[in-house]
Amino acid sequence: MAQKRASKQTRKQTQTRKQRGVRHRSGAAPGPDAGTASVSRSRIGNWTLFGGLVLLTVLVVFLDIRTGNDLRVVPLLVVVPALASVYCSLRQTIWVAVWITTVVVGFRAGADGTFWDFLFGIGFAVLACALGVAACAARIRHATEMARLRSAAVTLQRQILRPLPVVTGHVLAHGLYEPIEEDRFVGGDIYEVVESPYGTRVIIGDVQGKGLAAIGAGFAAIAAFREAAIREPTLTGVVEALEDAVVRHNVFSAQTGEAERFVTALVLGFDGSGRVEAVNCGHLPPRLLHDGRASAVTLHRTYVPLGLAGLSRESRATESFAFPPGATLLVVTDGVTEARDTAGAFYPLDERVGAWAGRGPSELLDALHGDLEDFSGGVRRDDIAALALSHAPVGGGGRSETTGEDALRVVAV
């Protein structure tokens, strides 16, 4: 009963955070409108800008008076709009340009010199200020386009990889996802958790290649899994559907001149019996954390990756292993195990994960991510994905509404 009340309280807190507009921990932008508005917003307040501008003007005019005709300092104010274009909004930059133009014109009007000196000074000031305004407009336009592209990448990522955690009738899944590409939202690693009439089906995989080039094959596999996980009564039937989807994608890729790809994948089935069915298609075995100990699950059969079944005569079959209450199952992609330190040594996952065997799924992933960053010095060579799977809390069936602090950690710039 206590677990059930805690689960209800957690969902209530999550809904409250959602209503208050709490930002998703993935770092994804709230939406295209919010991203566009943020890039045009100034980093400097109006009163701060006004005070700084007045102080700078007074200082420059004072220096100009002290230096006399030997060195004119006021004309140097024309560089201020260029600096403002980097940090200020377009409106603020226009204000700065008008202010500087007025100061320079007033200074030139009271200074000695010929008509041509006056005309040249005013023309130079106007041109410099206009260029500053134009530079600000170009910066904001470019930033707006980039914000829209990032928003599109976020939308694409959410279609391919749904936010976590997910609570089904059998399992609670937390996740960590860190693409290597600079856009930092999409990559070649995939995962999905689907509740079906036959239990909860989970997939984690790695598409050959990285970044945007691997999205097509990844989306084909994920879409096929979402359908087959509900339709197929057996886990091998799900894997066969995945195989057909990747093969069809490769046929289409060959027709369009793109490279064919394969997908390493681990497909798991949870039915509440205390055992987990698994079909390993060239992927890393899971790690079981229980009673303060961690160990790699022994899977005796490892089959060819998805898309390459035609090269093997062996039919894929399931095998099972124990998943006792209170245990956590950690499944990762090779971006974790193949991370390297400055000396080129691989990340010792089995050595490190034992120290975290007593932690919850979310804390386990936090520790894993922090340790990976420290080990590799922040230098990554591949996409990183990890799922921490535990038994669902009592009364926690159904897809979670969580989008707050416990959501999928997608590390973003």
Side-chain angles (χ1 to χ4, degrees):
M1 292 294 295
Q3 290 180 342
K4 187 173 182 179
R5 287 195 298 270
S7 176
K8 291 182 178 179
Q9 184 178 5
T10 300
R11 289 197 294 269
K12 184 177 181 180
Q13 292 174 350
T14 297
Q15 292 174 355
T16 301
R17 289 196 301 266
K18 187 175 181 181
Q19 292 172 355
R20 293 176 181 175
V22 176
R23 187 174 181 178
H24 197 287
R25 282 189 69 183
S26 66
D33 295 337
T36 301
S38 64
V39 298
S40 61
R41 191 177 300 121
S42 173
R43 305 177 190 177
I44 303 176
N46 290 334
W47 287 108
T48 301
L49 178 64
F50 177 75
L53 194 58
V54 171
L55 182 61
L56 177 63
T57 302
V58 172
L59 178 61
V60 170
V61 171
F62 174 76
L63 291 176
D64 189 88
I65 295 174
R66 292 295 301 269
T67 56
N69 294 329
D70 295 336
L71 178 62
R72 291 302 183 185
V73 182
V74 170
L76 297 180
L77 285 173
V78 296
V79 304
V80 176
L83 296 176
S85 69
V86 178
Y87 302 102
C88 298
S89 67
L90 181 60
R91 179 177 298 179
Q92 288 179 333
T93 304
I94 294 175
W95 290 351
V96 171
V98 172
W99 175 278
I100 295 301
T101 302
T102 303
V103 171
V104 173
V105 169
F107 169 78
R108 294 299 302 178
D112 297 333
T114 66
F115 171 78
W116 294 109
D117 290 337
F118 174 79
L119 186 62
F120 176 79
I122 298 303
F124 179 76
V126 172
L127 177 62
C129 292
L131 289 176
V133 173
C136 180
R139 173 184 65 83
I140 293 176
R141 182 170 60 253
H142 175 73
T144 302
E145 292 175 355
M146 292 302 299
R148 289 172 178 170
L149 289 175
R150 289 173 64 85
S151 178
V154 171
T155 303
L156 178 60
Q157 182 260 332
R158 287 178 176 174
Q159 292 300 316
I160 298 177
L161 304 176
R162 300 183 187 182
L164 295 178
V166 166
V167 183
T168 71
H170 310 93
V171 68
L172 168 61
H174 290 258
L176 167 67
Y177 183 70
E178 187 170 358
I180 192 175
E181 287 293 307
E182 292 182 357
D183 54 58
R184 303 293 292 260
F185 288 106
V186 288
D189 290 353
I190 60 173
Y191 70 85
E192 183 56 290
V193 180
V194 175
E195 186 171 21
S196 76
Y198 313 103
T200 298
R201 271 76 184 269
V202 178
I203 183 175
I204 186 169
D206 185 0
V207 182
Q208 177 194 13
K210 304 177 183 67
L212 297 176
I215 290 179
F219 185 77
I222 286 294
F225 178 78
R226 288 171 178 165
E227 179 182 355
I230 297 176
R231 183 189 67 234
E232 297 292 338
T234 64
L235 204 62
T236 52
V238 174
V239 175
E240 290 174 1
L242 294 175
E243 174 71 25
D244 293 340
V246 176
V247 169
R248 287 194 300 269
H249 173 78
N250 284 336
V251 171
F252 177 78
S253 297
Q255 293 173 348
T256 57
E258 298 179 2
E260 299 181 15
R261 300 182 183 275
F262 61 82
V263 182
T264 64
L266 177 65
V267 184
L268 304 173
F270 300 80
D271 58 5
S273 65
R275 297 190 67 82
V276 180
E277 283 190 316
V279 179
N280 188 0
C281 303
H283 201 74
L284 298 170
R287 271 69 177 176
L288 183 67
L289 289 74
H290 184 57
D291 287 339
R293 297 189 301 271
S295 60
V297 175
T298 301
L299 297 177
H300 301 284
R301 302 167 184 168
T302 300
Y303 301 99
V304 296
L306 300 173
L308 301 179
L311 303 179
S312 174
R313 297 180 179 178
E314 187 178 17
S315 299
R316 297 184 177 105
T318 61
E319 53 185 310
S320 65
F321 58 89
F323 186 42
T328 298
L329 198 63
L330 177 66
V331 289
V332 302
T333 58
D334 59 8
V336 174
T337 57
E338 293 181 3
R340 302 193 184 196
D341 61 10
T342 55
F346 289 110
Y347 181 72
L349 176 62
D350 291 320
E351 296 178 12
R352 302 296 180 93
V353 75
W356 311 320
R359 303 189 182 188
S362 181
E363 292 76 14
L364 169 63
L365 293 177
D366 287 337
L368 174 62
H369 178 253
D371 195 51
L372 274 172
E373 288 291 308
D374 294 339
F375 181 83
S376 63
V379 178
R380 293 176 293 108
R381 296 175 174 83
D382 199 358
D383 303 318
I384 292 174
L387 296 180
L389 308 170
S390 59
H391 288 273
V394 177
R399 179 169 290 274
S400 172
E401 295 290 339
T402 300
T403 58
E405 294 183 353
D406 292 329
L408 169 70
R409 286 165 287 274
V410 178
V411 183
V413 176

